Amino acid sequence: MSVPYRQIRAAYSEESITVYQAYDPAVAGPAVAAQRFVPPFKRERMTWIKPSFLWMMYRCGWATKAGQGRVLAIDITREGFEWALGHSCLSHPGHGADQADWAARLRRSPVRIQWDPERDPHHNALPYRSIQIGLSGEAVDRYLDEWTVAITDITDLVRTVHAVVRSGGDPAGLLPVERPYPIGADLASIVEATTEADVT
């Protein structure tokens, strides 16, 4: 069964959804200890959250890139996640978008959406997209102060999975189980997710 071109896939429960970020130990350590992001994390900067484990591995090079040596799984409320989607704007104008309308929305939106090629365990691009969500301003404050439920350091898991990949093994059984995340038509329209109507 083919995967829709733009579909949100994630590990989630009834209450929360897991997103990933990678940081230097100086940021990751205090965050795990406090179970929330605290200094030296800078809330003034845009921060990107990613529901795709394998896209995070592509971005951080399996926790080998400078400043990305610790990978965190952050459980946030689904209410917060959907607030982010509802207050977002695509980083680039969508197909057929009015440039002026898009630019105005971009200026007032505290959340950016990017759809980038999903990756396999070897970092190869796949023929469908993965969502990246950039938080700034009010969205960062909500992320830090309201949405975060738990922060888990999964760097050991990352290294274990990477070792299997490097040895030519199949890491599928070690990967987080990511399912299509249900969003309504309104949110799908805002983030330009692929809907059943687009597929048929």
Side-chain angles (χ1 to χ4, degrees), residues 70-98:
R70 297 273 292 275
V71 180
L72 304 180
I74 303 103
D75 294 329
I76 64 173
T77 64
R78 288 179 60 170
E79 180 182 13
F81 182 74
E82 291 170 21
W83 185 97
L85 299 182
H87 291 78
S88 70
C89 178
L90 294 180
S91 291
H92 307 284
H95 180 68
D98 180 280

Side-chain angles (χ1 to χ4, degrees), residues 22 55-66 68-69 71 158:
W55 204 94
M56 182 73 256
M57 296 308 99
Y58 164 72
R59 181 68 180 83
C60 71
W62 294 99
T64 63
K65 292 185 179 179
Q68 300 187 64
V71 180
V158 168

Side-chain angles (χ1 to χ4, degrees), residues 158-169:
V158 168
R159 290 173 178 153
T160 298
V161 176
H162 190 205
V164 172
V165 172
R166 286 201 316 268
S167 68

Side-chain angles (χ1 to χ4, degrees), residues 27-71:
V27 173
V32 172
Q35 286 296 287
R36 59 190 297 268
F37 286 102
V38 295
F41 180 96
K42 292 181 172 61
R43 67 170 67 211
E44 302 81 20
R45 296 175 56 183
M46 178 170 279
T47 188
W48 289 85
I49 57 176
K50 307 157 186 72
S52 166
F53 176 85
L54 285 176
W55 204 94
M56 182 73 256
M57 296 308 99
Y58 164 72
R59 181 68 180 83
C60 71
W62 294 99
T64 63
K65 292 185 179 179
Q68 300 187 64
R70 297 273 292 275
V71 180

